[in-house]
Amino acid sequence: MGPLLSRFTRETGAYVTAVYLLSQDGSALQLAVLSGVSWRIASPWTRVALAAATPVSDAVREQRLVWINSEEELARRYPQLALVLPHPFTMAAAPITAGPSTWGGLVVHWSSTHPPALREHERQALAGICHRLGLILQQAADSGRPVLAGPEPRVLPTPPVRTASTAEAQAAVGFAERLPGGCCALDPDGRLTFITTAAADLLGTGIGDLLGARPWEALPWLDNPVAEDRYRATALSRQPTSFTARRPPDHWLSFHLYPDASGISVRIVPTPSPDAGPPPQLLYPAPPAGPGRATSLYHLMHLAATLTEAVGVQDVVARVADQVLPAFGAQAFALMAAEEGRLRIVGHNGYPAELIARFDAVPLTTDTPAAQVLTTGVPSFFADFADLKQAHPAAVPQDDMAAWVFLPLISSKSPVGSLVLSYDRPRSFPPEERSVLTSTAGLIAQALDRARLYDAKQQLAHNLQAGLLPRSLPSIPGLDTAARYLPASHGMDIGGDFYDLIHLNEAKAAAAIGDVQGHNVQAATLMGQVRTAVHATAGASPGEVLARTNRLLTDLNPGLFTSCLYMDLDLARHRACLATAGHPPPILRHPDGHTEVLDLPPGLLLGIDAAADYPMTEIVLAPGSVLALYTDGLVEAPGTDVGDAITTLAEQLAQARNEDIGTIADSFIAHAQQSQARRDDIALLLIHSPREAG
């Protein structure tokens, strides 16, 4: 494919070409061949999801030519791409096909001076090269040797403008040395291939220390976002540009960059200060550069842009894999989310499955780096295994990696999870890199938190539950009441727990509590129907109320069953009549303080048998008594016996004799929240018959 692309660039004047191939599962496009620009610049786009909103994915997905003729159009059609590529250029993307088969896509860049529309010969050349590339890929596949994209693209060499003799090359060096100021040359990868003595003097270092290095890597004071951004702008737009920078302690220099296909020529001119006026031919004056890791910041900005479109946890995982690994040179990563007191690995790359299974669901209380950084909120950087062993003496080698970064994912001051990056060689982490890594973790934490909320439909659950439960309990003379509802732990759908208090007349009231099977919108809808049915029949005997509601649910045949407890309160006689449909037993605290778990005759869950009946039990609700009605979420937890949990709840009620009814309700909920394994909603209704005055 290389000769085809080289001939195409010569014929059309394009200066960047990139061939993307479809992944084996057809879900993404992988960069396979690149020419005209450094792979360091193109690395954020090494892998592009086919469903993403980018020119090449749109071209392949929709089987059409995509043409972007200006920065404004790029910003309008692809705002995310424009955010990280604020440079002038025109571009085209086209699908690579052969007959009915699609193999990938081709991306081509031209200068911003290109006319607003593609010329006819360029359009024909695009169609021709895509067709020929498709035939090559089709023939390779038919021969049993399909072309697959490697972990890094093949970068085509840039042919020299012309070849000079030794004498001519030496004459060119002499010519450059005689020019005022300094000058140097960068290859397409940004490395210095030539520098004059005057330029080295202006930069304050020797020629030997600079050749073969990138300026912002060899010169700490030039390691700033402006310097590398101007280089990137020149390489991508093929337009001259410039910037100013301060060489400590107070030497101001202006850099003028002139690009072509073979690299970038740089003129270096001393200037009194950044405010002294532009030196000759200063094209785009830039402010003095501040400290920082330019490449990492570039990837950080790109990550921030791409994460804004992530809508689910796995979407976040894919984008982190695409951006973070190349940005920081890591070979593997694992993304973990805090769930019910454990760290669940929600995504990974570069690690074997058996290792992931070993560390999945580690309790937050364990002495592991991933758990520790989340509980403390402090990142950990280990340059080698000795550093890791010193911090965690129990650590043993688990993988083939040699350096690690463990980052806490904190969103809105709440722990979300942890991120581990691994390197196959020992690596130091300077302060600047640590700062950028920490900022990256903050972006990922926010995206992961949003994604989990999206996946769980948490907002829908809250809104729907609030609309179906009573906004407030009615005020009933002779009763003190308190109700609480606690949705399931983060990550669950909406539940069907409900409670109700109904004022029948001056001497009577009714109470109900129930739990519809399941955690989804259907369960919540059925819960609303049950509440409506109970309200419609309130005033009848408890057994009749449950029987009528049961017949209604059986006729509806929702496929879900409901537990329910209904109670009539005779306020004048201080008595209560109860019936249950498979609901947890209520707890009664007598006026003397001792508690009793009421043993009610069982009844079938609602919705099973239309002919079921529901026996009733009458109890004394003496002044000073407290009756606790609750759903099973308050007493059920993995590894806990329900009977023991109910007994513990009764003891807690007995010990709260001197507390008001609202405080007791809050203490019940607080106790439940301490259980890290709670998986169900909780509804609670407390009814207190105050002692009579005197």
Side-chain angles (χ1 to χ4, degrees), residues 532-584:
T532 301
V534 168
H535 260 273
T537 54
S541 68
E544 184 62 20
V545 170
L546 292 182
R548 293 181 184 178
T549 305
N550 175 57
R551 288 194 291 271
L552 171 65
L553 294 189
T554 305
D555 291 342
L556 291 174
N557 190 26
L560 300 175
F561 305 131
T562 304
S563 72
C564 186
L565 186 144
Y566 182 86
M567 175 176 61
D568 264 343
L569 295 164
D570 190 328
L571 305 178
R573 297 174 56 234
H574 300 294
R575 303 186 75 82
C577 185
L578 303 88
T580 182
H583 200 77

